[in-house]
Amino acid sequence: MGRVIKLVIYYFLYNLVFMGVVFGVYGFVNHTSDMPQSGPVYFNLSMWVQLFATLALGIHLLAWKYVTRKDLSFDFPNTAKVLLASVVLSVGMGLWTNYLTELTELPNVMEDLFNKMMYNPLGVISIVVMAPIVEELLFRGGMQGHLLRKWKNPAWAILVSALIFGIVHGNPVQMFFASILGLVLGWVYYRTGSLLPCMLMHFINNGTSVLLFHLSGGEDETMTEALGTTGAICLALVGVVLTVWSIWYIKTRLIPNQIAWKETPAPAEEVIASESKEQA
């Protein structure tokens, strides 16, 4: 778990570092030490912080080989069909998990923030593009991939990475939804050995949320409000059917045998540490 904990620290550390950098540059350019605490300027600076921090984390994961080239390849059976089934799986998941989230009535403490992000170009880029790429590199590639190679039981590797994925979102309603989504994304990564189907599913999930938000005029309606109780339940059941079918199809028809998980080269910093110990 040491590597997993280290990656979680990196996740938060990059945000802290770039918060200092971005706000420091703002103060230098404007010749002031009074930093904005709220308002449009503060929000725009925060969006730049999130964008730079996410980009830097992604580069770190790739440069230090926490994610290998094989993790980003189409080297798995029935590639086109798997990608198509992943799209169907993502849509199905979205239908029933959104309805289930409504039933839990968990607080959405970041609702105002996300509503603002939906109208900000940097916010949309962060949600739709950066998050699907970098979060999959981090939680599935960097964390789950490592645990799959180290632990004998893949279910625990998938569960742990999914729970961490949910917890770091820090928003009760997101934590619940993201953990469930993380389980399915983790399973897809386990079956295919590639992060690309996971990134595609994550992109569809986040992109659909942004699209529906704007189609509803920014009202962010629930399924029950938009379709009524009966309509919402029916649509959720359709989602369950699509989810079950997609998982069955991928597991039994497309990839009946899991990709063999083998030890990959350790990150460069771990190699250096190991060599130092040997020399000592």
Side-chain angles (χ1 to χ4, degrees):
M1 287 292 290
R3 175 171 167 177
V4 172
I5 294 172
K6 180 167 60 177
L7 289 176
V8 172
I9 293 173
Y10 285 154
Y11 179 84
F12 291 106
L13 185 60
Y14 271 111
N15 280 278
L16 290 175
V17 168
F18 278 96
M19 181 175 292
V21 171
V22 170
F23 278 82
V25 170
Y26 170 83
F28 177 79
V29 171
N30 292 277
H31 307 288
T32 180
S33 60
D34 295 329
M35 295 295 107
Q37 303 297 320
S38 60
V41 174
Y42 174 81
F43 180 76
N44 286 330
L45 290 175
S46 298
M47 290 299 96
W48 281 111
V49 169
Q50 185 174 27
L51 188 64
F52 285 138
T54 304
L55 180 61
L57 177 59
I59 293 173
H60 184 136
L61 293 170
L62 293 170
W64 290 88
K65 301 187 185 305
Y66 285 100
V67 179
T68 66
R69 184 178 300 177
K70 185 177 180 181
D71 289 319
L72 298 172
S73 74
F74 289 109
D75 186 22
F76 52 88
N78 299 302
T79 305
K81 291 182 180 180
V82 169
L83 292 176
L84 182 59
S86 298
V87 172
V88 176
L89 177 56
S90 180
V91 172
M93 281 285 298
L95 294 177
W96 67 266
T97 54
N98 281 332
Y99 183 65
L100 184 59
T101 301
E102 291 177 19
L103 295 180
T104 61
E105 297 184 349
L106 292 169
N108 186 358
V109 298
M110 297 183 181
E111 184 175 7
D112 291 340
L113 172 62
F114 279 107
N115 287 349
K116 291 179 181 178
M117 290 179 69
M118 296 294 189
Y119 292 109
N120 186 291
L122 293 177
V124 173
I125 292 173
S126 294
I127 294 172
V128 180
V129 180
M130 299 303 296
I133 295 174
V134 178
E135 288 181 1
E136 292 311 307
L137 290 175
L138 176 63
F139 295 103
R140 250 60 63 186
M143 293 186 187
Q144 182 184 313
H146 173 71
L147 295 177
L148 283 170
R149 290 185 291 269
K150 294 297 184 181
W151 292 357
K152 294 181 180 180
N153 190 339
W156 281 109
I158 295 172
L159 177 62
V160 168
S161 62
L163 290 177
I164 296 174
F165 177 57
I167 291 171
V168 298
H169 281 78
N171 186 10
V173 68
Q174 280 186 286
M175 291 166 65
F176 174 77
F177 173 79
S179 295
I180 296 176
L181 179 62
L183 290 173
V184 176
L185 291 172
W187 179 81
V188 171
Y189 178 44
Y190 172 61
R191 301 298 298 196
T192 64
S194 173
L195 293 172
L196 297 181
C198 304
M199 290 179 179
L200 176 62
M201 291 175 64
H202 205 146
F203 167 78
I204 291 172
N205 176 77
N206 290 15
T208 301
S209 297
V210 173
L211 179 61
L212 291 177
F213 177 86
H214 286 286
L215 290 177
S216 66
E219 294 297 327
D220 199 19
E221 291 181 310
T222 64
M223 289 174 62
T224 303
E225 291 171 344
L227 305 172
T229 302
T230 302
I233 292 175
C234 290
L235 197 58
L237 291 176
V238 171
V240 171
V241 172
L242 292 177
T243 300
V244 172
W245 176 84
S246 300
I247 292 175
W248 169 83
Y249 187 55
I250 293 174
K251 181 178 180 180
T252 63
R253 297 300 180 88
L254 301 181
I255 308 180
N257 299 310
Q258 288 84 252
I259 297 296
W261 285 93
K262 298 180 180 180
E263 186 67 53
T264 59
E269 59 192 48
E270 294 183 7
V271 173
I272 294 173
S274 176
E275 291 177 349
S276 299
K277 288 181 180 179
E278 291 178 359
Q279 292 174 359

